[in-house]
Amino acid sequence: GFAIASRVKLQSVEIARGPFGRLFGYATFNLGLAGGSYSLPGIPLAEAERVRRALLASMVETDFSRLVR
């Protein structure tokens, strides 16, 4: 695996699809980070949805007040 940013900085996870993405089953995976953003274009839609669900679940389950001091 690789790291894009600290998990604490992750604020949003979005999937965007343009006309070609809808036609061919691909998406752009957008991460909203404290201090910026990061986009991963050309991700298969099913994979983007799986990763989004996992990240959103971890955001709900994590008490971030314990991570930053």
Side-chain angles (χ1 to χ4, degrees):
F2 65 94
I4 295 170
S6 167
R7 175 64 186 84
V8 176
K9 293 184 177 185
L10 183 61
Q11 295 179 337
S12 66
V13 182
E14 298 176 353
I15 296 173
R17 297 177 69 200
F20 288 111
R22 285 191 294 275
L23 183 64
F24 295 109
Y26 289 95
T28 298
F29 194 72
N30 298 309
L31 300 173
L33 306 167
S37 63
Y38 189 80
S39 295
L40 297 164
I43 305 296
L45 179 60
E47 182 68 8
E49 290 173 337
R50 184 191 68 76
V51 173
R52 181 178 184 270
R53 278 192 304 272
L55 287 172
L56 290 176
S58 75
M59 291 169 82
V60 170
E61 295 170 357
T62 303
D63 179 1
F64 291 98
S65 67
R66 296 176 183 256
L67 298 177
V68 180
R69 296 196 187 267

